[in-house]
Amino acid sequence: MADYAISNIARRVVYTNTGVGPYAFTFEILQNTDIAVYRGSTLLTLTTDYTVTINANGTGSVTLVLAGTGNITIVGARAIQRTSDYTTGGDLFASTLNTDLDSQTIYAQQVAETAERALKAPVTDPTDIAMTLPTKASRASKYLAFDANGNPVATAGTSESPSLGTMSTQNATAVAITGGSISGITDLAVADGGTGASTAANARTNLGLAIGTDVQAYNANTAFINTNQSFSVAQRGTITALTDGATITPNMNNANNFSVTLGGNRTLANPTNLTAGQSGVIVITQDGTGSRTLAYGSNFKFPGGTAPTLTTTASAVDVLAYYVESASRITARLVADVK
């Protein structure tokens, strides 16, 4: 006879596998056969696979014989039967009566626990809804669906040929399309992952990839800065006129080749934006008066360390060829009196 109460508690517990246990259960049982134990989806056998310890209050624990993988599930499984029988004028023992009443409570809890895992209609559903499934013949190789009244029906289709219906009836965030296409949709907006166009040209424009506007058209003859090039025609650099003044400061970002007409004695200052590897010429012309002199910034380095003297004849032309060695050094030579 059990001398403990049966608590109002679900008769099932699931554990993450941590070895052989023990794994406790807090619902009361009357004997060690009142539970079933699963490892993963495999039903284990009492004594062979596990042992049961029952506490004084009817709760207990399960210890596995061997460790394994898969969650451990302990669920109430007392066999639904009645072995006692009360006879007229016979003995009515409290122990027998308590055992029968405990068993009836356990049976009810087992049924309630099983029902909680079943598919069921809400308690607030109308009473006229028939939740009975269609017959086996009617539902074979079909999907379970619900009609306009909420009643279960069998609908066409098999697991080998699912039907998504039309896009208008689908949740756009829950439909994945692989290896297929969507018919009836054109000009899908860019914000929705499309191009907003039905032609390639318009698609490129909408995506900011219009050839000749946003991107350069492909040309096999386009030169690259990181590849060896063989030019088949002449390559020319523009000549940028420097501003004449007491101090003349070339900006090497503007060009490779420069020109200036001297209107007085000048200083060719250290250029700005020097980058090693740049080269070119500076064409220096005397004005109509002539006799103009030119001093040089400290970055200019000449053969023998001597700065050259310009040709002083009126309108004379000298050419200063240069090569930038570093941000502070320019190798230069003057080609004098070019005529």
Side-chain angles (χ1 to χ4, degrees):
M1 178 189 75
D3 58 356
Y4 44 79
I6 305 300
S7 303
N8 180 18
I9 188 172
R11 305 190 74 78
R12 183 170 71 104
V13 61
V14 180
Y15 287 100
T16 299
N17 194 324
T18 56
V20 297
Y23 299 96
F25 54 89
T26 57
F27 53 86
E28 295 83 6
I29 62 175
L30 303 182
Q31 54 193 27
N32 59 8
T33 56
D34 284 357
I35 59 172
V37 180
Y38 293 82
R39 180 159 50 200
S41 59
T42 302
L43 176 63
L44 303 183
T45 301
L46 179 63
T47 304
T48 302
D49 299 318
Y50 66 92
T51 58
V52 179
T53 299
I54 303 177
N55 301 323
N57 65 352
T59 63
S61 63
V62 169
T63 301
L64 304 181
V65 175
L66 297 174
T69 59
N71 288 346
I72 304 301
T73 301
I74 305 171
V75 62
R78 182 173 176 82
I80 299 179
Q81 60 184 359
R82 179 184 173 189
T83 57
S84 60
D85 185 33
Y86 302 100
T87 59
T88 302
D91 295 328
L92 181 62
F93 296 108
S95 60
T96 304
L97 187 60
N98 276 333
T99 298
D100 283 350
L101 291 176
D102 287 344
S103 295
Q104 293 301 318
T105 303
I106 290 173
Y107 298 152
Q109 289 181 344
Q110 286 181 179
V111 171
E113 188 280 325
T114 301
E116 283 300 311
R117 290 183 278 117
L119 184 67
K120 56 186 178 181
V123 67
T124 55
D125 262 13
T127 57
D128 60 347
I129 293 180
M131 295 302 292
T132 303
L133 290 176
T135 63
K136 176 182 177 181
S138 298
R139 68 177 185 266
S141 298
K142 292 183 175 64
Y143 292 113
L144 175 63
F146 297 89
D147 63 17
N149 297 318
N151 294 317
V153 294
T155 187
T158 67
S159 58
E160 290 81 18
S161 59
S163 173
L164 287 177
T166 62
M167 285 298 295
S168 61
T169 63
Q170 305 301 320
N171 184 335
T173 62
V175 178
I177 299 175
T178 303
S181 61
I182 305 174
S183 62
I185 295 181
T186 59
D187 302 351
L188 187 62
V190 174
D192 295 326
T195 64
S198 56
T199 66
N202 290 341
R204 288 191 294 268
T205 298
N206 293 345
L207 294 174
L209 301 173
I211 296 174
T213 301
D214 303 295
V215 295
Q216 180 177 324
Y218 171 75
N219 187 328
N221 296 319
T222 299
F224 299 92
I225 64 172
N226 61 346
T227 303
N228 293 331
Q229 305 289 312
S230 296
F231 295 101
S232 58
V233 295
Q235 306 300 307
R236 304 176 180 88
T238 59
I239 300 174
T240 297
L242 298 173
T243 301
D244 181 43
T247 301
I248 302 170
T249 306
N251 183 347
M252 291 304 192
N253 275 346
N254 292 341
N256 289 72
N257 302 317
F258 302 89
S259 67
V260 63
T261 298
L262 304 181
N265 295 334
R266 309 302 192 204
T267 296
L268 184 62
N270 292 330
T272 58
N273 299 309
L274 284 177
T275 301
Q278 182 172 343
S279 62
V281 298
I282 302 174
V283 179
I284 305 167
T285 303
Q286 295 279 347
D287 64 5
T289 301
S291 299
R292 310 304 188 182
T293 62
L294 186 64
Y296 301 91
S298 60
N299 287 350
F300 287 95
K301 309 299 179 182
F302 298 98
T306 302
T309 301
L310 296 180
T311 304
T312 56
T313 306
S315 303
V317 176
D318 296 328
V319 177
L320 183 70
Y322 72 88
Y323 171 76
V324 178
E325 296 181 46
S326 68
S328 61
R329 186 177 176 88
I330 307 169
T331 298
R333 178 182 286 271
L334 186 70
V335 181
D337 199 15
V338 177
K339 57 183 176 182

